[in-house]
Amino acid sequence: MACETLRHNCGVIGIWDNDNAAELVYHGLYSLQHRGQESAGIVTADNGHFYRHYGMGTLTQVFSGPDAIAKLKGRSAIGHNRYSTTGSSSHDNIQPLVAELRDGPVAIAHNGNLVNTRKLRRKLQEDGAIFHSTTDSEIIVHLMARSKHDKVRDKLRDAIKKVEGAYSITVLSNHALYAARDPQGWRPLCIGKHENGSWAVASETCAFDLLGYEYVRDVNPGEMVVIDENGMEIVPFAKPKKTFQCIFEYVYFSRPDSRVAGEYIDKYRRRMGKNLSDEHPAGDADIVISVPDSSNTAALGYASQSGLKFEMGLIRNHYVGRTFIQPTQTMREMGVRLKFNPVGGVLNDRKVVVVEDSIVRGTTLKKLSVLLRQAGAKELHVRVSSPPIRFPCYYGMDFSSHGELIADDKSVEEIRKHIGVDSLGYLSVERLLASVPQGEGIGYCTACFTGDYPTDVSEEIEYESKLRYSTKTGEET
Ligand code: SF4
């Protein structure tokens, strides 16, 4: 799915007690750019003052001015890369959000989607709350503002106990850096420490590697982390229960060089490729290629298990960021060719296994199959390292309606015909689950494959059907 419009939700990072807090957060966000490219922002705290710089676009677009980082004073900072899932893509929704509470300012950066926000927002508005954005993250701020407690940690705990769904958040006050992960553990969040005593929290450990912080451990589901002048303290805020980590973090979202529970994502993704090879061998194929970059690791696993040679049959142009693509007619016509170029010498007269991590709409694979055949491929056998996506995600992935999903109303054979390949095989849910970490209390959300939503999503489904109705009738929802 390296190239369709399946996008991540967000990346968050926080640094506590370092001379170069803003600069470190900037570079950390750079490592997390894959999680969101729509907007970026950093907030720092310095002797009672908060400094903020934010804007629409990728990190380098937002922080292009010479003083953008220099003006962010202070030894602590949080940052956010956003891809909008709840709330529209607008300036008002850029995070970190900053709010003045009774006892001073706080900034919040949130990764994930809350699922009971419509009722909560309505209730807060009836009580007089005025919202400045349409993002669900602002609900947490309003709930904190209404808490009777004095300490920020207690206000935060009060607020997050009232929300449901996916959240991995960082919060900055004048006195501490906080991080919290929802009790189901949908989105990742981890803790790092520098040898100079500084602490960090981030969505993925790849940010720590760049900044020279050592990965300490994950923030476990239902835990809040408080980092202040006394050090780091773990404060559980919910009873341990079965987790529902998003299995798509392992399939596609997280970088293969990031670690979860101490192990690299790379290991699990290779395992998916191996299991895929066992489930769907490709007979007398000659080579295995990947749709770069996100499918590279699974393709390596497939190749090693099948004994087929892994080749670079498609070259991706890394300088075609989606924010730079203007939808002109010429560019639309170039389509997928702008992003991928097949290597004729590798593909010519070969029977090719093409490993892809997921298929959402199938539009890119359909175009790629034409390109690969034009480059001389004799046969195309597509192998997908996740099951067919049949159901919308209400926890952060950017497709949220049935109509967008090719597997919603098509069988595997119909999809094969649609994308124009010789064979098509998907990894089963069982073998996908067998590829990821197991243990007591560890569970996964697989709702986009199975339709088994771990929480009540009736509000979202009702909203989606109203939206469908209003699109047909032109009414407002
Ligand atoms: Fe992840 Fe799919 Fe569950 Fe969404 S529905 S949280 S993408 S596993």
Side-chain angles (χ1 to χ4, degrees):
M1 220 307 324
C3 38
E4 283 184 338
T5 48
L6 170 60
R7 295 187 190 114
H8 307 228
N9 25 67
C10 301
V12 297
I13 180 164
I15 295 284
W16 177 258
D17 196 21
N18 198 307
D19 284 341
N20 307 313
E23 203 177 319
L24 290 169
V25 164
Y26 172 81
H27 289 296
L29 287 176
Y30 214 79
S31 301
L32 301 172
Q33 186 76 86
H34 61 288
R35 298 187 71 87
Q37 304 92 36
E38 202 165 85
S39 66
I42 298 177
V43 171
T44 56
D46 182 51
N47 290 323
H49 294 287
F50 270 30
Y51 297 87
R52 183 184 186 204
H53 184 89
Y54 64 102
M56 299 296 290
T58 59
L59 200 63
T60 46
Q61 289 171 311
V62 174
F63 288 86
S64 56
D67 300 330
I69 299 285
K71 73 178 185 188
L72 299 173
K73 295 180 197 155
R75 295 178 58 80
S76 54
I78 62 171
H80 190 264
N81 281 331
R82 174 175 163 82
Y83 177 70
S84 69
T85 47
T86 295
S88 62
S89 165
S90 86
H91 212 260
D92 291 339
N93 289 340
I94 302 174
Q95 297 192 30
L97 300 173
V98 177
E100 193 69 40
L101 301 188
R102 213 170 42 237
D103 311 304
V106 292
I108 181 167
H110 170 205
N111 173 205
N113 252 34
L114 305 179
V115 292
N116 60 338
T117 52
R118 287 185 188 90
K119 270 187 207 143
L120 275 174
R121 181 180 282 265
R122 215 174 304 130
K123 170 120 194 23
L124 285 163
Q125 283 169 330
E126 281 163 12
D127 290 351
I130 296 169
F131 282 81
H132 299 282
S133 74
T134 54
T135 164
D136 54 357
S137 320
E138 195 182 345
I139 287 170
I140 297 176
V141 177
H142 279 285
L143 291 170
M144 286 177 76
R146 276 167 168 67
S147 169
K148 301 274 182 287
H149 290 284
D150 292 328
K151 290 182 177 170
V152 172
R153 64 155 69 187
D154 298 327
K155 288 179 196 290
L156 178 60
R157 194 171 45 196
D158 251 10
I160 56 183
K161 280 180 145 182
K162 293 189 174 80
V163 296
E164 283 170 27
Y167 57 86
S168 283
I169 48 178
T170 56
V171 173
L172 185 64
S173 76
N174 274 318
H175 308 291
L177 169 67
Y178 308 85
R181 190 170 173 209
D182 64 74
Q184 278 88 24
W186 255 283
R187 302 287 158 215
L189 192 61
C190 45
I191 307 167
K193 188 168 191 200
H194 199 277
E195 59 186 17
N196 66 9
S198 167
W199 290 92
V201 287
S203 295
E204 291 184 42
T205 65
C206 60
F208 298 154
D209 297 339
L210 180 70
L211 307 182
Y213 281 67
E214 194 185 325
Y215 166 47
V216 176
R217 79 177 190 54
D218 296 332
V219 178
N220 290 327
E223 279 184 353
M224 179 165 79
V225 177
V226 183
I227 300 168
D228 60 17
E229 59 186 8
N230 300 314
M232 193 264 291
E233 185 190 353
I234 304 274
V235 186
F237 65 88
K239 285 200 185 107
K241 49 180 162 181
K242 193 177 173 198
T243 64
F244 291 106
Q245 299 170 47
C246 168
I247 206 156
F248 239 98
E249 289 284 348
Y250 292 87
V251 172
Y252 170 74
F253 291 160
S254 293
R255 278 178 34 167
D257 54 335
S258 284
R259 278 165 283 175
V260 175
E263 293 280 3
Y264 284 97
I265 293 285
D266 172 275
K267 174 175 158 179
Y268 306 116
R269 231 167 253 175
R270 277 177 199 252
R271 212 181 267 165
M272 286 169 209
K274 288 180 180 177
N275 283 332
L276 182 60
S277 168
D278 286 346
E279 278 198 313
H280 298 285
D284 59 348
D286 300 311
I287 54 169
V288 176
I289 69 167
S290 72
V291 181
D293 295 316
S294 59
S295 310
N296 290 352
T297 318
L300 283 167
Y302 191 101
S304 81
Q305 185 74 358
S306 62
L308 295 170
K309 198 170 170 198
F310 175 76
E311 291 277 10
M312 295 299 291
L314 276 170
I315 302 301
R316 181 176 183 151
N317 184 339
H318 289 270
Y319 302 97
V320 186
R322 71 185 184 92
T323 41
F324 294 101
I325 300 176
Q326 300 305 313
T328 62
Q329 188 55 31
T330 320
M331 280 185 157
R332 262 196 296 269
E333 277 163 16
M334 276 193 255
V336 75
R337 194 182 275 277
L338 200 65
K339 221 167 191 179
F340 297 103
N341 201 23
V343 185
V346 168
L347 300 162
N348 194 34
D349 210 26
R350 296 273 175 80
K351 296 175 186 170
V352 183
V353 176
V354 184
V355 176
E356 175 64 301
D357 50 59
S358 49
I359 302 178
V360 181
R361 297 169 181 82
T363 44
T364 303
L365 262 180
K366 189 175 177 171
K367 290 176 187 160
L368 269 183
S369 72
V370 174
L371 276 189
L372 292 166
R373 286 199 202 277
Q374 282 170 352
K378 204 160 61 178
E379 286 179 19
L380 292 175
H381 303 276
V382 169
R383 298 292 179 266
V384 188
S385 59
S386 61
I389 302 171
R390 297 201 162 97
F391 300 90
C393 171
Y394 299 112
Y395 309 111
M397 186 136 77
D398 86 329
F399 56 79
S400 55
S401 70
H402 282 275
E404 295 175 83
L405 307 169
I406 192 169
D408 175 42
D409 61 354
K410 282 190 173 51
S411 66
V412 173
E413 175 57 14
E414 286 168 335
I415 298 170
R416 181 197 71 73
K417 281 191 188 144
H418 177 83
I419 61 176
V421 295
D422 299 283
S423 73
L424 172 65
Y426 285 90
L427 188 64
S428 65
V429 174
E430 295 69 31
R431 295 300 282 266
L432 174 61
L433 285 167
S435 309
V436 293
Q438 300 296 334
E440 202 184 335
I442 298 181
Y444 294 92
C445 173
T446 56
C448 46
F449 310 123
T450 59
D452 295 333
Y453 293 98
T455 62
D456 179 6
V457 289
S458 48
E459 241 191 68
E460 316 300 314
I461 291 170
E462 191 188 332
Y463 182 71
E464 188 197 316
S465 63
K466 267 193 202 156
L467 209 63
R468 264 207 303 268
Y469 177 73
S470 73
T471 313
K472 275 192 200 151
T473 60
E475 281 176 25
E476 276 187 30
T477 52

